[in-house]
Short mmCIF file of all heavy atoms in Angstrom, two decimals:
data_model
loop_
_atom_site.label_atom_id
_atom_site.label_comp_id
_atom_site.label_asym_id
_atom_site.label_seq_id
_atom_site.Cartn_x
_atom_site.Cartn_y
_atom_site.Cartn_z
N VAL A 50 1.60 1.51 6.29
CA VAL A 50 1.30 2.91 6.06
C VAL A 50 -0.22 3.06 5.92
O VAL A 50 -0.82 2.53 4.98
CB VAL A 50 2.09 3.47 4.85
CG1 VAL A 50 1.77 4.97 4.67
CG2 VAL A 50 3.54 3.18 4.94
N SER A 78 -0.35 12.85 1.92
CA SER A 78 0.22 13.50 0.73
C SER A 78 -0.79 13.82 -0.33
O SER A 78 -0.53 14.54 -1.24
CB SER A 78 1.36 12.66 0.12
OG SER A 78 0.86 11.48 -0.46
N TYR A 79 -1.99 13.28 -0.18
CA TYR A 79 -2.96 13.38 -1.29
C TYR A 79 -4.19 14.27 -1.01
O TYR A 79 -4.81 14.66 -1.94
CB TYR A 79 -3.46 11.96 -1.67
CG TYR A 79 -2.82 11.39 -2.91
CD1 TYR A 79 -1.46 11.53 -3.08
CD2 TYR A 79 -3.58 10.87 -3.93
CE1 TYR A 79 -0.85 11.03 -4.22
CE2 TYR A 79 -2.97 10.36 -5.08
CZ TYR A 79 -1.58 10.45 -5.19
OH TYR A 79 -1.03 9.92 -6.31
N SER A 85 -0.96 13.63 -6.25
CA SER A 85 -0.19 14.02 -5.03
C SER A 85 0.02 15.49 -4.97
O SER A 85 0.29 16.17 -5.97
CB SER A 85 1.18 13.29 -5.10
OG SER A 85 1.90 13.68 -3.94
N GLU A 108 3.45 -0.81 2.08
CA GLU A 108 2.72 0.29 1.46
C GLU A 108 1.80 -0.26 0.38
O GLU A 108 2.08 -1.29 -0.29
CB GLU A 108 3.80 1.26 0.87
CG GLU A 108 3.23 2.42 0.08
CD GLU A 108 2.42 3.39 0.81
OE1 GLU A 108 1.48 2.97 1.49
OE2 GLU A 108 2.70 4.63 0.80
N ASP A 109 0.70 0.45 0.12
CA ASP A 109 -0.24 0.02 -0.88
C ASP A 109 0.31 0.24 -2.27
O ASP A 109 0.30 -0.62 -3.15
CB ASP A 109 -1.64 0.71 -0.68
CG ASP A 109 -1.51 2.20 -0.56
OD1 ASP A 109 -0.38 2.78 -0.62
OD2 ASP A 109 -2.57 2.87 -0.40
N ILE A 110 0.79 1.47 -2.56
CA ILE A 110 1.16 1.82 -3.89
C ILE A 110 2.28 2.86 -3.85
O ILE A 110 2.31 3.73 -2.99
CB ILE A 110 -0.04 2.35 -4.67
CG1 ILE A 110 0.28 2.63 -6.15
CG2 ILE A 110 -0.64 3.55 -4.04
CD1 ILE A 110 -0.95 2.85 -7.02
N VAL A 111 3.25 2.70 -4.78
CA VAL A 111 4.28 3.72 -4.92
C VAL A 111 4.04 4.42 -6.23
O VAL A 111 3.97 3.80 -7.28
CB VAL A 111 5.69 3.10 -4.93
CG1 VAL A 111 6.74 4.25 -5.04
CG2 VAL A 111 5.95 2.29 -3.68
N ASP A 112 3.82 5.74 -6.16
CA ASP A 112 3.43 6.54 -7.30
C ASP A 112 4.64 7.45 -7.63
O ASP A 112 5.60 7.05 -8.32
CB ASP A 112 2.17 7.31 -6.93
CG ASP A 112 1.61 8.13 -8.04
OD1 ASP A 112 1.94 7.90 -9.20
OD2 ASP A 112 0.82 9.08 -7.76
N THR A 113 4.65 8.68 -7.19
CA THR A 113 5.78 9.59 -7.45
C THR A 113 7.02 9.09 -6.70
O THR A 113 8.16 9.43 -7.07
CB THR A 113 5.49 10.99 -7.07
OG1 THR A 113 5.23 11.04 -5.65
CG2 THR A 113 4.28 11.57 -7.80
N GLY A 114 6.82 8.40 -5.57
CA GLY A 114 7.91 7.97 -4.69
C GLY A 114 8.24 9.02 -3.60
O GLY A 114 9.05 8.76 -2.76
N LEU A 115 7.50 10.15 -3.61
CA LEU A 115 7.80 11.18 -2.62
C LEU A 115 7.56 10.71 -1.19
O LEU A 115 8.40 10.86 -0.31
CB LEU A 115 6.88 12.45 -2.91
CG LEU A 115 7.30 13.27 -4.09
CD1 LEU A 115 6.13 14.24 -4.43
CD2 LEU A 115 8.56 14.00 -3.90
N THR A 116 6.45 10.01 -0.99
CA THR A 116 6.09 9.54 0.36
C THR A 116 7.13 8.56 0.86
O THR A 116 7.63 8.68 1.96
CB THR A 116 4.72 8.87 0.33
OG1 THR A 116 3.78 9.72 -0.27
CG2 THR A 116 4.26 8.53 1.73
N LEU A 117 7.46 7.57 0.00
CA LEU A 117 8.33 6.53 0.43
C LEU A 117 9.81 7.01 0.60
O LEU A 117 10.51 6.54 1.52
CB LEU A 117 8.29 5.36 -0.54
CG LEU A 117 7.31 4.29 -0.13
CD1 LEU A 117 7.63 3.73 1.25
CD2 LEU A 117 5.90 4.76 -0.11
N LYS A 140 3.31 2.10 -9.52
CA LYS A 140 2.94 2.98 -10.68
C LYS A 140 4.18 3.65 -11.22
O LYS A 140 4.39 4.87 -11.04
CB LYS A 140 1.87 3.98 -10.20
CG LYS A 140 0.92 4.37 -11.27
CD LYS A 140 0.13 5.56 -10.89
CE LYS A 140 -1.03 5.35 -9.98
NZ LYS A 140 -1.82 6.58 -9.70
N ARG A 143 5.26 7.12 -13.15
CA ARG A 143 5.13 8.46 -12.57
C ARG A 143 6.22 8.82 -11.56
O ARG A 143 6.13 9.83 -10.81
CB ARG A 143 3.75 8.58 -11.93
CG ARG A 143 2.63 8.67 -12.95
CD ARG A 143 1.35 9.07 -12.47
NE ARG A 143 1.26 9.60 -11.11
CZ ARG A 143 1.18 10.91 -10.84
NH1 ARG A 143 1.21 11.81 -11.82
NH2 ARG A 143 1.11 11.29 -9.63
N ILE A 157 1.85 -1.40 -12.38
CA ILE A 157 0.59 -0.97 -13.07
C ILE A 157 0.84 0.27 -13.95
O ILE A 157 1.75 1.05 -13.68
CB ILE A 157 -0.54 -0.71 -12.01
CG1 ILE A 157 -0.18 0.46 -11.09
CG2 ILE A 157 -0.86 -1.96 -11.24
CD1 ILE A 157 -1.40 1.03 -10.33
N ALA A 160 -2.75 5.04 -13.93
CA ALA A 160 -4.19 5.21 -13.79
C ALA A 160 -4.50 5.28 -12.30
O ALA A 160 -3.67 4.81 -11.50
CB ALA A 160 -4.93 4.01 -14.39
N PHE A 161 -5.59 5.85 -11.94
CA PHE A 161 -5.95 5.95 -10.55
C PHE A 161 -6.75 4.69 -10.15
O PHE A 161 -7.78 4.39 -10.74
CB PHE A 161 -6.81 7.19 -10.25
CG PHE A 161 -6.93 7.45 -8.76
CD1 PHE A 161 -5.90 8.10 -8.06
CD2 PHE A 161 -8.07 7.05 -8.09
CE1 PHE A 161 -5.97 8.26 -6.67
CE2 PHE A 161 -8.15 7.24 -6.69
CZ PHE A 161 -7.12 7.86 -6.00
N VAL A 162 -6.19 3.96 -9.18
CA VAL A 162 -6.77 2.68 -8.81
C VAL A 162 -7.36 2.71 -7.38
O VAL A 162 -6.91 3.52 -6.58
CB VAL A 162 -5.77 1.53 -8.93
CG1 VAL A 162 -5.32 1.30 -10.35
CG2 VAL A 162 -4.51 1.77 -8.06
N VAL A 163 -8.35 1.87 -7.17
CA VAL A 163 -9.03 1.80 -5.89
C VAL A 163 -9.25 0.28 -5.55
O VAL A 163 -9.11 -0.57 -6.41
CB VAL A 163 -10.36 2.52 -5.89
CG1 VAL A 163 -10.19 4.07 -6.07
CG2 VAL A 163 -11.31 1.94 -6.94
N LEU A 167 -7.27 0.63 -1.00
CA LEU A 167 -7.03 1.93 -1.66
C LEU A 167 -8.37 2.66 -1.89
O LEU A 167 -9.36 2.03 -2.29
CB LEU A 167 -6.36 1.78 -2.99
CG LEU A 167 -4.87 1.37 -2.91
CD1 LEU A 167 -4.73 -0.03 -3.45
CD2 LEU A 167 -4.00 2.32 -3.59
N ASP A 168 -8.38 3.96 -1.60
CA ASP A 168 -9.69 4.63 -1.65
C ASP A 168 -9.67 5.77 -2.71
O ASP A 168 -8.65 6.11 -3.23
CB ASP A 168 -9.93 5.37 -0.27
CG ASP A 168 -9.04 6.61 -0.13
OD1 ASP A 168 -7.78 6.50 -0.34
OD2 ASP A 168 -9.58 7.67 0.22
N PHE A 169 -10.90 6.28 -2.97
CA PHE A 169 -11.05 7.62 -3.57
C PHE A 169 -11.98 8.34 -2.64
O PHE A 169 -13.11 7.95 -2.50
CB PHE A 169 -11.62 7.48 -5.00
CG PHE A 169 -11.95 8.86 -5.55
CD1 PHE A 169 -10.92 9.78 -5.77
CD2 PHE A 169 -13.23 9.24 -5.75
CE1 PHE A 169 -11.16 11.04 -6.23
CE2 PHE A 169 -13.48 10.54 -6.26
CZ PHE A 169 -12.47 11.44 -6.52
P1 5GP B 201 3.61 8.93 -3.81
O1 5GP B 201 4.16 9.70 -2.69
O2 5GP B 201 4.40 7.78 -4.23
O3 5GP B 201 3.24 9.85 -4.98
O4 5GP B 201 2.14 8.45 -3.35
C1 5GP B 201 1.94 7.48 -2.50
C2 5GP B 201 0.56 7.52 -1.91
O5 5GP B 201 -0.35 8.13 -2.85
C3 5GP B 201 0.02 6.11 -1.74
O6 5GP B 201 0.32 5.63 -0.50
C4 5GP B 201 -1.47 6.33 -1.92
O7 5GP B 201 -2.05 6.70 -0.69
C5 5GP B 201 -1.61 7.47 -2.89
N1 5GP B 201 -1.83 7.00 -4.23
C6 5GP B 201 -0.99 7.06 -5.31
N2 5GP B 201 -1.53 6.57 -6.43
C7 5GP B 201 -2.79 6.19 -6.06
C8 5GP B 201 -3.86 5.55 -6.76
O8 5GP B 201 -3.80 5.23 -7.97
N3 5GP B 201 -4.97 5.25 -6.06
C9 5GP B 201 -5.08 5.57 -4.73
N4 5GP B 201 -6.26 5.28 -4.16
N5 5GP B 201 -4.13 6.16 -4.03
C10 5GP B 201 -2.96 6.47 -4.65
#
Side-chain angles (χ1 to χ4, degrees):
V50 184
S78 68
Y79 258 46
S85 178
E108 175 65 306
D109 51 0
I110 184 167
V111 182
D112 182 19
T113 63
L115 289 167
T116 308
L117 266 302
K140 211 194 278 183
R143 288 192 12 99
I157 64 164
F161 192 80
V162 295
V163 294
L167 290 112
D168 75 312
F169 173 63

